[in-house]
Amino acid sequence: MANIRAGVIGGAGYTGGELLRILVNHPQVDIAFVHSNSNAGNYIYEVHTDLFGDTELKFTGELLHDIDVLFLCVGHGDARKFLEANPFPETVKVIDLSQDFRLKNKSKIDSRQFVYGLPELNRDSIKQANNIANPGCFATCLQLGLLPLAASNNLNAEVHITATTGSTGAGQSLAATSHFTWRNNNASVYKAFDHQHLNEIGESLTQLQPGFDKDVNFIPYRGDFTRGIIASIYLDSDLTAEDAVELYSDYYAAHPFTHVTNRNIDLKQIVNTNKCFIQVQKKGNKLFIISIMDNLLKGASGQAVQNMNLIFGLEETAGLRLKAAAF
């Protein structure tokens, strides 16, 4: 098949840069344009300096409509506004990395219906979709830690979660809590019990286990590192350790990026990859799950490309065989 022609809106930010790093090297994608109002006319490598030598593309303020897929790497609230102001032909697939279309009651704009793009949950629907709402980073990490329980009707107790994310999870715009002098050698809690990603997590869990009505108590932390999420999850469970590991291993057996292990896991194993590693243990009557992944890749741009691969019938892992640096 001919290469996929891709357009990128908001290519100057963190998720846009990660997306371009993947697409530049994707064997079946041609980048048609990269839109940025603030950088129009500049070479991409002048913003994403590591791409020097990889591409001579420039940012543009113009839009092209003769493309196959459009990636929206803009801020929350801006994706919907962009599509309202700039309608694209129905033949153009749209993959949105913001939160604008993730929830069921907000998943439509005009005739475009968005499918929630978590492949480990909705792979078959994604393959038939024209529009994808890419999940949030925390939402992806936490759901991957819980989906096998919900799918087997074993999510029957209150869930307790603590998770720490790197500074890139806050985006490229400067804020008091993203400055190096504040973030370095520091940690803090934010949005305890009411993080916005809980809404999409709840919809996914009840999709698999309709009767689930227990609290999901989520305490997010800001970490003093750049990228990655590590989540620890525990709940009361009657499952044995062996049954739980088998349950998780079976659920993810056909999914190429999510892996269950009985070894201790750490962030350096998955940073700069599209992988999620999960460790399952039993401590007394508590089931204890650790879930780790890269917030910019499996939590954003990598997963967006994974969804694109599924939509266009490509190998799911195409362009995403990324290797982490060990040290």
Side-chain angles (χ1 to χ4, degrees):
M1 62 177 289
N3 275 5
I4 297 163
R5 284 175 53 80
V8 180
I9 307 298
Y14 284 152
T15 58
E18 290 293 279
L19 181 66
L20 291 172
R21 291 178 186 99
I22 299 170
L23 295 183
V24 160
N25 295 291
H26 195 292
Q28 291 172 274
V29 172
D30 294 325
I31 302 174
F33 72 91
V34 183
H35 184 273
S36 172
N37 288 322
S38 59
N39 285 284
N42 294 330
Y43 286 102
I44 286 172
Y45 62 70
E46 291 180 294
V47 174
H48 305 299
T49 55
D50 58 303
L51 287 176
F52 179 64
D54 290 334
T55 179
E56 292 296 314
L57 276 171
K58 291 183 177 182
F59 291 103
T60 179
E62 304 297 320
L63 301 175
L64 300 178
H65 291 82
D66 59 333
I67 58 174
D68 301 303
V69 61
L70 182 71
F71 292 92
L72 300 179
C73 301
V74 296
H76 302 313
D78 293 334
R80 185 176 292 273
K81 291 176 183 176
F82 175 85
L83 290 178
E84 287 173 345
N86 302 280
F88 273 72
E90 291 295 323
T91 54
V92 176
K93 318 290 189 185
V94 174
I95 300 176
D96 175 36
L97 279 73
S98 82
Q99 66 183 14
D100 289 12
F101 304 102
R102 291 174 189 163
L103 300 181
K104 289 182 173 64
N105 65 352
K106 297 180 179 178
S107 62
K108 190 172 183 180
I109 178 172
D110 297 326
S111 60
R112 290 190 180 273
Q113 180 69 50
F114 283 76
V115 170
Y116 187 66
L118 185 62
E120 291 81 357
L121 174 69
N122 288 327
R123 178 194 270 163
D124 291 341
S125 298
I126 291 166
K127 288 180 178 180
Q128 305 300 319
N130 290 318
N131 308 285
I132 296 293
N134 220 53
C137 53
F138 268 136
T140 297
C141 190
L142 304 188
Q143 287 176 91
L144 293 178
L146 291 170
L147 291 182
L149 295 176
S152 59
N153 287 304
N154 279 296
L155 196 57
N156 299 312
E158 191 171 4
V159 180
H160 302 274
I161 305 170
T162 59
T164 305
T165 185
S167 58
T168 52
Q172 193 171 24
S173 299
L174 287 178
T177 55
S178 63
H179 285 283
F180 174 83
T181 49
W182 187 91
R183 196 99 182 197
N184 190 48
N185 295 324
N186 200 6
S188 65
V189 173
Y190 71 110
K191 297 182 180 177
F193 297 104
D194 59 5
H195 194 281
Q196 67 273 14
H197 288 184
L198 283 169
N199 295 320
E200 56 190 282
I201 293 169
E203 287 196 351
S204 296
L205 296 180
T206 54
Q207 175 182 326
L208 292 179
Q209 185 174 327
F212 177 66
D213 60 357
K214 307 298 183 184
D215 288 337
V216 177
N217 303 299
F218 174 34
I219 311 298
Y221 283 79
R222 300 180 181 96
D224 66 341
F225 50 91
T226 302
R227 58 195 297 160
I229 295 175
I230 180 166
S232 59
I233 305 167
Y234 71 90
L235 68 158
D236 291 337
S237 177
D238 294 330
L239 291 170
T240 66
E242 294 76 14
D243 287 344
V245 170
E246 183 178 5
L247 180 69
Y248 274 73
S249 298
D250 288 348
Y251 186 91
Y252 291 120
H255 294 283
F257 292 114
T258 302
H259 304 280
V260 181
T261 177
N262 59 4
R263 296 176 179 270
N264 192 40
I265 55 179
D266 62 83
L267 283 180
K268 282 191 174 181
Q269 295 172 307
I270 51 78
V271 165
N272 297 324
T273 79
N274 198 53
K275 297 177 183 177
C276 176
F277 284 1
I278 294 175
Q279 184 181 7
V280 183
Q281 305 172 53
K282 192 70 185 293
K283 302 290 185 180
N285 69 332
K286 306 292 185 189
L287 190 64
F288 179 51
I289 305 117
I290 303 171
S291 178
I292 59 172
M293 50 161 246
D294 188 310
N295 57 292
L296 289 177
L297 289 170
K298 184 56 174 166
S301 304
Q303 187 152 251
V305 173
Q306 185 180 354
N307 283 320
M308 179 199 73
N309 290 339
L310 289 170
I311 289 173
F312 287 96
L314 306 180
E315 176 64 37
E316 190 170 349
T317 59
L320 291 170
R321 289 297 191 185
L322 311 172
K323 177 94 170 70
F327 301 103

